[in-house]
Amino acid sequence: MVVWKERVPRLLLYFILGLCTFSTLFPFLNVLAVSLSSGEAIRAGSVSIWPRQFTWDAYRNLIDDGQLFIAMKNTVVMTVVGTSLNMLVTIMAAYPLSKLDLRGRGLVLGMIIFTMLFTGGLIPQFLLIKNLGLMNTYWSLWLSGLLSTYNFFVLKTFFEGLPSELEESAAIDGAKDWVVLVRIVLPLALPVLAALTLFYAVGWWNAYYNVLIFIKSSTQMSLMVKLYQMIDNLDPALLIGDSTNANNALPPEGVRAGAAMLASLPILIIYPFLQKYFVKGVLMGSVKG
């Protein structure tokens, strides 16, 4: 009886965890199955989490259009350069402002906190970008999203939690501030930096609204905007499968599911490599201090 009293709560816990896991994975598996099923199976509503009448038509039609790879290249450029600039500015802001004896520290922190509570709004931002001559350039996106206040405070909090003796001993040995930052502080902050890099990269990869406002050239569109345009203005030619039989014509749901999977694929590939730093990095940056 004692054994069963211990096992029942554990089995109940496993059941609840399994139910939560399935409910989380079901929408993803359903979209994947729809993207790999024939038009006839999709129209019949017989696709759940397994592909029916397997076909690559949705992906082939999206790739054959050619514009998808151009948009993906644009998004890769935006993500790599944008994330690099974000991390550089975040580190350069968080490290000096983590020092309690920095002159004017309170004023600068107050100004940063102010931006969390109040923003100028879309129209002032649009006029500023336009007057700076940055319309239709990626700098309009990179400069307007240069620093995330939340990420800044996570990294600053982590820096504040580091033992001051580490930097003092390095300074006694003659190390300059740059040497201390690059060779001592940043290696210790690797989990936090990896987590923040993932935050920034996912944000750039999913960039949509600002791209729609500031970028007008169709050859510079991001992947998300291009996917939306392709889905919203779906070319009837994209809905035709291999056969001329109308039953095999690909419905819009199939193309939308394929587009969603293509947009998610790079992040799904990168995430497992950074996942080990994810929870650890955020906790280290938010709890210490």
Side-chain angles (χ1 to χ4, degrees):
M1 289 295 293
V2 176
V3 175
W4 276 106
K5 284 184 179 178
E6 294 177 354
R7 286 184 177 178
V8 169
R10 184 174 298 178
L11 291 174
L12 184 61
L13 179 62
Y14 286 151
F15 175 76
I16 294 173
L17 289 176
L19 196 62
C20 292
T21 303
F22 180 76
S23 63
T24 303
L25 290 178
F26 181 81
F28 177 80
L29 295 176
N30 178 252
V31 171
L32 178 62
V34 170
S35 70
L36 296 173
S37 298
S38 70
E40 185 180 358
I42 297 172
R43 274 189 295 275
S46 60
V47 182
S48 57
I49 59 174
W50 298 106
R52 301 294 297 270
Q53 301 175 8
F54 186 89
T55 177
W56 293 100
D57 282 351
Y59 297 98
R60 187 166 56 247
N61 291 330
L62 286 168
I63 293 172
D64 286 348
D65 185 63
Q67 298 182 25
L68 197 66
F69 285 112
I70 297 175
M72 190 170 286
K73 183 202 70 176
N74 295 337
T75 303
V76 169
V77 172
M78 286 170 47
T79 302
V80 172
V81 178
T83 303
S84 302
L85 291 173
N86 288 146
M87 291 306 299
L88 179 65
V89 172
T90 304
I91 293 170
M92 293 297 98
Y95 183 63
L97 289 173
S98 67
K99 306 302 176 189
L100 299 178
D101 57 348
L102 180 70
R103 186 173 298 177
R105 176 177 181 270
L107 176 62
V108 177
L109 285 176
M111 294 170 65
I112 294 175
I113 292 173
F114 183 83
T115 65
M116 295 180 68
L117 305 176
F118 305 99
T119 61
L122 177 61
I123 294 177
Q125 184 182 2
F126 179 83
L127 293 176
L128 176 63
I129 295 295
K130 184 179 180 182
N131 291 333
L132 290 174
L134 297 176
M135 289 294 291
N136 220 27
T137 69
Y138 290 148
W139 285 106
S140 62
L141 308 173
W142 293 329
L143 292 180
S144 59
L146 207 53
L147 179 70
S148 162
T149 310
Y150 171 80
N151 292 344
F152 160 77
F153 278 107
V154 169
L155 191 58
K156 184 183 78 67
T157 305
F158 174 82
F159 286 152
E160 289 174 346
L162 290 177
S164 59
E165 292 80 6
L166 286 173
E167 300 177 46
E168 291 171 359
S169 61
I172 292 173
D173 291 338
K176 302 295 183 183
D177 291 339
W178 284 101
V179 176
V180 173
L181 174 63
V182 174
R183 302 187 63 175
I184 295 177
V185 175
L186 293 186
L188 292 173
L190 188 60
V192 183
L193 297 178
L196 298 186
T197 300
L198 183 63
F199 284 157
Y200 280 126
V202 171
W204 283 113
W205 187 262
N206 292 328
Y208 173 78
Y209 191 60
N210 282 351
V211 178
L212 206 59
I213 294 173
F214 298 127
I215 304 296
K216 300 301 179 187
S217 172
S218 61
T219 59
Q220 292 181 292
M221 287 296 176
S222 69
L223 179 62
M224 296 303 163
V225 176
K226 182 56 68 177
L227 286 176
Y228 172 76
Q229 291 176 345
M230 293 172 67
I231 292 171
D232 190 48
N233 304 307
L234 207 55
D235 187 343
L238 287 174
L239 306 182
I240 303 301
D242 288 335
S243 171
T244 56
N245 189 337
N247 289 332
N248 289 335
L250 201 60
E253 291 81 2
V255 180
R256 292 190 182 107
M261 292 308 302
L262 283 179
S264 307
L265 191 61
I267 295 299
L268 291 175
I269 293 174
I270 293 173
Y271 185 79
F273 295 101
L274 296 177
Q275 191 269 341
K276 62 180 179 181
Y277 298 112
F278 191 71
V279 176
K280 183 180 176 183
V282 174
L283 287 177
M284 289 174 67
S286 58
V287 173
K288 283 190 175 181

PDB file of all heavy atoms in Angstrom, residues 110-137:
ATOM      1  N   GLY A 110      17.824  56.348 -14.852  1.00  0.00           N
ATOM      2  CA  GLY A 110      16.484  56.924 -14.849  1.00  0.00           C
ATOM      3  C   GLY A 110      15.971  57.170 -16.255  1.00  0.00           C
ATOM      4  O   GLY A 110      14.793  56.926 -16.552  1.00  0.00           O
ATOM      5  N   MET A 111      16.848  57.641 -17.143  1.00  0.00           N
ATOM      6  CA  MET A 111      16.441  57.876 -18.529  1.00  0.00           C
ATOM      7  C   MET A 111      16.104  56.562 -19.234  1.00  0.00           C
ATOM      8  O   MET A 111      15.162  56.486 -20.038  1.00  0.00           O
ATOM      9  CB  MET A 111      17.563  58.608 -19.270  1.00  0.00           C
ATOM     10  CG  MET A 111      17.807  60.022 -18.755  1.00  0.00           C
ATOM     11  SD  MET A 111      19.308  60.776 -19.427  1.00  0.00           S
ATOM     12  CE  MET A 111      18.884  60.877 -21.151  1.00  0.00           C
ATOM     13  N   ILE A 112      16.881  55.521 -18.923  1.00  0.00           N
ATOM     14  CA  ILE A 112      16.601  54.221 -19.545  1.00  0.00           C
ATOM     15  C   ILE A 112      15.269  53.660 -19.043  1.00  0.00           C
ATOM     16  O   ILE A 112      14.457  53.136 -19.818  1.00  0.00           O
ATOM     17  CB  ILE A 112      17.761  53.240 -19.274  1.00  0.00           C
ATOM     18  CG1 ILE A 112      19.024  53.720 -19.990  1.00  0.00           C
ATOM     19  CG2 ILE A 112      17.403  51.829 -19.723  1.00  0.00           C
ATOM     20  CD1 ILE A 112      20.256  52.891 -19.703  1.00  0.00           C
ATOM     21  N   ILE A 113      15.044  53.782 -17.724  1.00  0.00           N
ATOM     22  CA  ILE A 113      13.773  53.294 -17.163  1.00  0.00           C
ATOM     23  C   ILE A 113      12.588  54.074 -17.747  1.00  0.00           C
ATOM     24  O   ILE A 113      11.513  53.513 -17.990  1.00  0.00           O
ATOM     25  CB  ILE A 113      13.802  53.406 -15.623  1.00  0.00           C
ATOM     26  CG1 ILE A 113      14.827  52.416 -15.052  1.00  0.00           C
ATOM     27  CG2 ILE A 113      12.428  53.125 -15.025  1.00  0.00           C
ATOM     28  CD1 ILE A 113      15.055  52.560 -13.566  1.00  0.00           C
ATOM     29  N   PHE A 114      12.809  55.362 -18.004  1.00  0.00           N
ATOM     30  CA  PHE A 114      11.739  56.203 -18.573  1.00  0.00           C
ATOM     31  C   PHE A 114      11.242  55.635 -19.897  1.00  0.00           C
ATOM     32  O   PHE A 114      10.045  55.667 -20.197  1.00  0.00           O
ATOM     33  CB  PHE A 114      12.275  57.623 -18.766  1.00  0.00           C
ATOM     34  CG  PHE A 114      11.246  58.584 -19.282  1.00  0.00           C
ATOM     35  CD1 PHE A 114      10.350  59.201 -18.409  1.00  0.00           C
ATOM     36  CD2 PHE A 114      11.154  58.873 -20.634  1.00  0.00           C
ATOM     37  CE1 PHE A 114       9.386  60.084 -18.887  1.00  0.00           C
ATOM     38  CE2 PHE A 114      10.200  59.753 -21.120  1.00  0.00           C
ATOM     39  CZ  PHE A 114       9.305  60.354 -20.235  1.00  0.00           C
ATOM     40  N   THR A 115      12.183  55.098 -20.691  1.00  0.00           N
ATOM     41  CA  THR A 115      11.781  54.545 -21.991  1.00  0.00           C
ATOM     42  C   THR A 115      10.932  53.283 -21.849  1.00  0.00           C
ATOM     43  O   THR A 115      10.246  52.903 -22.791  1.00  0.00           O
ATOM     44  CB  THR A 115      13.014  54.217 -22.842  1.00  0.00           C
ATOM     45  OG1 THR A 115      13.770  53.168 -22.204  1.00  0.00           O
ATOM     46  CG2 THR A 115      13.904  55.436 -23.018  1.00  0.00           C
ATOM     47  N   MET A 116      11.020  52.625 -20.672  1.00  0.00           N
ATOM     48  CA  MET A 116      10.175  51.444 -20.457  1.00  0.00           C
ATOM     49  C   MET A 116       8.728  51.859 -20.208  1.00  0.00           C
ATOM     50  O   MET A 116       7.794  51.106 -20.489  1.00  0.00           O
ATOM     51  CB  MET A 116      10.676  50.629 -19.254  1.00  0.00           C
ATOM     52  CG  MET A 116      12.039  50.006 -19.440  1.00  0.00           C
ATOM     53  SD  MET A 116      12.545  49.065 -17.990  1.00  0.00           S
ATOM     54  CE  MET A 116      11.382  47.699 -18.052  1.00  0.00           C
ATOM     55  N   LEU A 117       8.547  53.055 -19.665  1.00  0.00           N
ATOM     56  CA  LEU A 117       7.201  53.505 -19.282  1.00  0.00           C
ATOM     57  C   LEU A 117       6.542  54.350 -20.365  1.00  0.00           C
ATOM     58  O   LEU A 117       5.329  54.291 -20.557  1.00  0.00           O
ATOM     59  CB  LEU A 117       7.277  54.305 -17.974  1.00  0.00           C
ATOM     60  CG  LEU A 117       7.942  53.588 -16.796  1.00  0.00           C
ATOM     61  CD1 LEU A 117       8.050  54.520 -15.603  1.00  0.00           C
ATOM     62  CD2 LEU A 117       7.163  52.330 -16.423  1.00  0.00           C
ATOM     63  N   PHE A 118       7.356  55.145 -21.076  1.00  0.00           N
ATOM     64  CA  PHE A 118       6.801  56.056 -22.070  1.00  0.00           C
ATOM     65  C   PHE A 118       7.593  55.935 -23.365  1.00  0.00           C
ATOM     66  O   PHE A 118       8.825  55.831 -23.343  1.00  0.00           O
ATOM     67  CB  PHE A 118       6.854  57.504 -21.567  1.00  0.00           C
ATOM     68  CG  PHE A 118       6.185  57.706 -20.250  1.00  0.00           C
ATOM     69  CD1 PHE A 118       6.937  57.750 -19.084  1.00  0.00           C
ATOM     70  CD2 PHE A 118       4.805  57.825 -20.157  1.00  0.00           C
ATOM     71  CE1 PHE A 118       6.318  57.927 -17.844  1.00  0.00           C
ATOM     72  CE2 PHE A 118       4.187  57.999 -18.922  1.00  0.00           C
ATOM     73  CZ  PHE A 118       4.947  58.050 -17.769  1.00  0.00           C
ATOM     74  N   THR A 119       6.890  55.956 -24.471  1.00  0.00           N
ATOM     75  CA  THR A 119       7.555  55.951 -25.781  1.00  0.00           C
ATOM     76  C   THR A 119       6.998  57.100 -26.624  1.00  0.00           C
ATOM     77  O   THR A 119       5.882  57.578 -26.383  1.00  0.00           O
ATOM     78  CB  THR A 119       7.316  54.623 -26.524  1.00  0.00           C
ATOM     79  OG1 THR A 119       5.912  54.456 -26.730  1.00  0.00           O
ATOM     80  CG2 THR A 119       7.860  53.451 -25.737  1.00  0.00           C
ATOM     81  N   GLY A 120       7.766  57.511 -27.608  1.00  0.00           N
ATOM     82  CA  GLY A 120       7.331  58.607 -28.461  1.00  0.00           C
ATOM     83  C   GLY A 120       6.182  58.235 -29.368  1.00  0.00           C
ATOM     84  O   GLY A 120       5.418  59.092 -29.809  1.00  0.00           O
ATOM     85  N   GLY A 121       6.044  56.947 -29.656  1.00  0.00           N
ATOM     86  CA  GLY A 121       4.978  56.520 -30.555  1.00  0.00           C
ATOM     87  C   GLY A 121       5.478  56.336 -31.978  1.00  0.00           C
ATOM     88  O   GLY A 121       6.620  56.674 -32.317  1.00  0.00           O
ATOM     89  N   LEU A 122       4.610  55.806 -32.783  1.00  0.00           N
ATOM     90  CA  LEU A 122       4.994  55.436 -34.150  1.00  0.00           C
ATOM     91  C   LEU A 122       5.279  56.654 -35.039  1.00  0.00           C
ATOM     92  O   LEU A 122       6.259  56.672 -35.785  1.00  0.00           O
ATOM     93  CB  LEU A 122       3.886  54.579 -34.766  1.00  0.00           C
ATOM     94  CG  LEU A 122       4.104  54.163 -36.223  1.00  0.00           C
ATOM     95  CD1 LEU A 122       5.372  53.334 -36.345  1.00  0.00           C
ATOM     96  CD2 LEU A 122       2.900  53.396 -36.727  1.00  0.00           C
ATOM     97  N   ILE A 123       4.424  57.682 -34.953  1.00  0.00           N
ATOM     98  CA  ILE A 123       4.570  58.826 -35.873  1.00  0.00           C
ATOM     99  C   ILE A 123       5.878  59.587 -35.626  1.00  0.00           C
ATOM    100  O   ILE A 123       6.619  59.865 -36.577  1.00  0.00           O
ATOM    101  CB  ILE A 123       3.339  59.758 -35.762  1.00  0.00           C
ATOM    102  CG1 ILE A 123       2.102  59.010 -36.272  1.00  0.00           C
ATOM    103  CG2 ILE A 123       3.550  61.038 -36.550  1.00  0.00           C
ATOM    104  CD1 ILE A 123       0.816  59.787 -36.146  1.00  0.00           C
ATOM    105  N   PRO A 124       6.222  59.939 -34.356  1.00  0.00           N
ATOM    106  CA  PRO A 124       7.531  60.581 -34.144  1.00  0.00           C
ATOM    107  C   PRO A 124       8.694  59.712 -34.605  1.00  0.00           C
ATOM    108  O   PRO A 124       9.679  60.208 -35.162  1.00  0.00           O
ATOM    109  CB  PRO A 124       7.566  60.808 -32.633  1.00  0.00           C
ATOM    110  CG  PRO A 124       6.139  60.867 -32.222  1.00  0.00           C
ATOM    111  CD  PRO A 124       5.433  59.911 -33.114  1.00  0.00           C
ATOM    112  N   GLN A 125       8.587  58.410 -34.378  1.00  0.00           N
ATOM    113  CA  GLN A 125       9.657  57.516 -34.818  1.00  0.00           C
ATOM    114  C   GLN A 125       9.773  57.498 -36.338  1.00  0.00           C
ATOM    115  O   GLN A 125      10.872  57.548 -36.900  1.00  0.00           O
ATOM    116  CB  GLN A 125       9.389  56.097 -34.304  1.00  0.00           C
ATOM    117  CG  GLN A 125      10.510  55.120 -34.640  1.00  0.00           C
ATOM    118  CD  GLN A 125      10.190  53.712 -34.150  1.00  0.00           C
ATOM    119  OE1 GLN A 125       9.123  53.461 -33.588  1.00  0.00           O
ATOM    120  NE2 GLN A 125      11.111  52.800 -34.358  1.00  0.00           N
ATOM    121  N   PHE A 126       8.633  57.473 -37.005  1.00  0.00           N
ATOM    122  CA  PHE A 126       8.640  57.482 -38.470  1.00  0.00           C
ATOM    123  C   PHE A 126       9.244  58.778 -39.015  1.00  0.00           C
ATOM    124  O   PHE A 126      10.067  58.763 -39.934  1.00  0.00           O
ATOM    125  CB  PHE A 126       7.205  57.314 -38.991  1.00  0.00           C
ATOM    126  CG  PHE A 126       7.091  57.343 -40.483  1.00  0.00           C
ATOM    127  CD1 PHE A 126       7.339  56.204 -41.238  1.00  0.00           C
ATOM    128  CD2 PHE A 126       6.752  58.511 -41.145  1.00  0.00           C
ATOM    129  CE1 PHE A 126       7.240  56.233 -42.617  1.00  0.00           C
ATOM    130  CE2 PHE A 126       6.652  58.554 -42.530  1.00  0.00           C
ATOM    131  CZ  PHE A 126       6.894  57.410 -43.260  1.00  0.00           C
ATOM    132  N   LEU A 127       8.839  59.933 -38.417  1.00  0.00           N
ATOM    133  CA  LEU A 127       9.369  61.223 -38.883  1.00  0.00           C
ATOM    134  C   LEU A 127      10.864  61.324 -38.629  1.00  0.00           C
ATOM    135  O   LEU A 127      11.613  61.871 -39.458  1.00  0.00           O
ATOM    136  CB  LEU A 127       8.626  62.366 -38.173  1.00  0.00           C
ATOM    137  CG  LEU A 127       7.142  62.499 -38.533  1.00  0.00           C
ATOM    138  CD1 LEU A 127       6.485  63.589 -37.695  1.00  0.00           C
ATOM    139  CD2 LEU A 127       6.974  62.805 -40.031  1.00  0.00           C
ATOM    140  N   LEU A 128      11.313  60.789 -37.483  1.00  0.00           N
ATOM    141  CA  LEU A 128      12.747  60.828 -37.169  1.00  0.00           C
ATOM    142  C   LEU A 128      13.547  60.019 -38.185  1.00  0.00           C
ATOM    143  O   LEU A 128      14.567  60.483 -38.723  1.00  0.00           O
ATOM    144  CB  LEU A 128      12.981  60.279 -35.758  1.00  0.00           C
ATOM    145  CG  LEU A 128      14.447  60.167 -35.319  1.00  0.00           C
ATOM    146  CD1 LEU A 128      15.085  61.551 -35.262  1.00  0.00           C
ATOM    147  CD2 LEU A 128      14.551  59.469 -33.965  1.00  0.00           C
ATOM    148  N   ILE A 129      13.079  58.805 -38.462  1.00  0.00           N
ATOM    149  CA  ILE A 129      13.775  57.949 -39.434  1.00  0.00           C
ATOM    150  C   ILE A 129      13.786  58.601 -40.817  1.00  0.00           C
ATOM    151  O   ILE A 129      14.807  58.594 -41.526  1.00  0.00           O
ATOM    152  CB  ILE A 129      13.091  56.563 -39.504  1.00  0.00           C
ATOM    153  CG1 ILE A 129      13.241  55.830 -38.168  1.00  0.00           C
ATOM    154  CG2 ILE A 129      13.684  55.731 -40.644  1.00  0.00           C
ATOM    155  CD1 ILE A 129      14.645  55.479 -37.794  1.00  0.00           C
ATOM    156  N   LYS A 130      12.652  59.203 -41.172  1.00  0.00           N
ATOM    157  CA  LYS A 130      12.560  59.843 -42.491  1.00  0.00           C
ATOM    158  C   LYS A 130      13.496  61.037 -42.590  1.00  0.00           C
ATOM    159  O   LYS A 130      14.206  61.218 -43.594  1.00  0.00           O
ATOM    160  CB  LYS A 130      11.114  60.278 -42.741  1.00  0.00           C
ATOM    161  CG  LYS A 130      10.885  60.866 -44.121  1.00  0.00           C
ATOM    162  CD  LYS A 130       9.423  61.250 -44.317  1.00  0.00           C
ATOM    163  CE  LYS A 130       9.227  61.848 -45.720  1.00  0.00           C
ATOM    164  NZ  LYS A 130       7.812  62.266 -45.916  1.00  0.00           N
ATOM    165  N   ASN A 131      13.533  61.894 -41.556  1.00  0.00           N
ATOM    166  CA  ASN A 131      14.392  63.081 -41.580  1.00  0.00           C
ATOM    167  C   ASN A 131      15.876  62.717 -41.534  1.00  0.00           C
ATOM    168  O   ASN A 131      16.714  63.493 -41.990  1.00  0.00           O
ATOM    169  CB  ASN A 131      14.041  64.003 -40.405  1.00  0.00           C
ATOM    170  CG  ASN A 131      12.681  64.644 -40.588  1.00  0.00           C
ATOM    171  OD1 ASN A 131      12.214  64.822 -41.720  1.00  0.00           O
ATOM    172  ND2 ASN A 131      12.010  64.985 -39.496  1.00  0.00           N
ATOM    173  N   LEU A 132      16.194  61.574 -40.968  1.00  0.00           N
ATOM    174  CA  LEU A 132      17.589  61.124 -40.957  1.00  0.00           C
ATOM    175  C   LEU A 132      17.995  60.485 -42.286  1.00  0.00           C
ATOM    176  O   LEU A 132      19.157  60.108 -42.459  1.00  0.00           O
ATOM    177  CB  LEU A 132      17.803  60.111 -39.819  1.00  0.00           C
ATOM    178  CG  LEU A 132      17.748  60.669 -38.385  1.00  0.00           C
ATOM    179  CD1 LEU A 132      17.840  59.535 -37.374  1.00  0.00           C
ATOM    180  CD2 LEU A 132      18.882  61.661 -38.159  1.00  0.00           C
ATOM    181  N   GLY A 133      17.044  60.341 -43.184  1.00  0.00           N
ATOM    182  CA  GLY A 133      17.345  59.748 -44.485  1.00  0.00           C
ATOM    183  C   GLY A 133      17.600  58.249 -44.433  1.00  0.00           C
ATOM    184  O   GLY A 133      18.343  57.718 -45.256  1.00  0.00           O
ATOM    185  N   LEU A 134      16.977  57.588 -43.457  1.00  0.00           N
ATOM    186  CA  LEU A 134      17.220  56.153 -43.285  1.00  0.00           C
ATOM    187  C   LEU A 134      16.102  55.283 -43.839  1.00  0.00           C
ATOM    188  O   LEU A 134      16.154  54.056 -43.690  1.00  0.00           O
ATOM    189  CB  LEU A 134      17.398  55.842 -41.793  1.00  0.00           C
ATOM    190  CG  LEU A 134      18.590  56.511 -41.115  1.00  0.00           C
ATOM    191  CD1 LEU A 134      18.597  56.191 -39.626  1.00  0.00           C
ATOM    192  CD2 LEU A 134      19.897  56.052 -41.761  1.00  0.00           C
ATOM    193  N   MET A 135      15.091  55.919 -44.464  1.00  0.00           N
ATOM    194  CA  MET A 135      13.993  55.118 -45.011  1.00  0.00           C
ATOM    195  C   MET A 135      14.526  54.170 -46.089  1.00  0.00           C
ATOM    196  O   MET A 135      15.428  54.500 -46.852  1.00  0.00           O
ATOM    197  CB  MET A 135      12.929  56.032 -45.617  1.00  0.00           C
ATOM    198  CG  MET A 135      12.119  56.819 -44.587  1.00  0.00           C
ATOM    199  SD  MET A 135      11.103  55.752 -43.540  1.00  0.00           S
ATOM    200  CE  MET A 135       9.902  55.179 -44.722  1.00  0.00           C
ATOM    201  N   ASN A 136      13.964  52.989 -46.109  1.00  0.00           N
ATOM    202  CA  ASN A 136      14.334  51.963 -47.084  1.00  0.00           C
ATOM    203  C   ASN A 136      15.757  51.456 -46.911  1.00  0.00           C
ATOM    204  O   ASN A 136      16.377  50.992 -47.865  1.00  0.00           O
ATOM    205  CB  ASN A 136      14.150  52.494 -48.510  1.00  0.00           C
ATOM    206  CG  ASN A 136      13.563  51.446 -49.416  1.00  0.00           C
ATOM    207  OD1 ASN A 136      12.861  50.546 -48.970  1.00  0.00           O
ATOM    208  ND2 ASN A 136      13.872  51.526 -50.692  1.00  0.00           N
ATOM    209  N   THR A 137      16.302  51.603 -45.694  1.00  0.00           N
ATOM    210  CA  THR A 137      17.602  51.004 -45.370  1.00  0.00           C
ATOM    211  C   THR A 137      17.446  50.178 -44.093  1.00  0.00           C
ATOM    212  O   THR A 137      16.586  50.469 -43.248  1.00  0.00           O
ATOM    213  CB  THR A 137      18.685  52.072 -45.153  1.00  0.00           C
ATOM    214  OG1 THR A 137      18.384  52.790 -43.939  1.00  0.00           O
ATOM    215  CG2 THR A 137      18.759  53.052 -46.321  1.00  0.00           C
TER     216      THR A 137
END
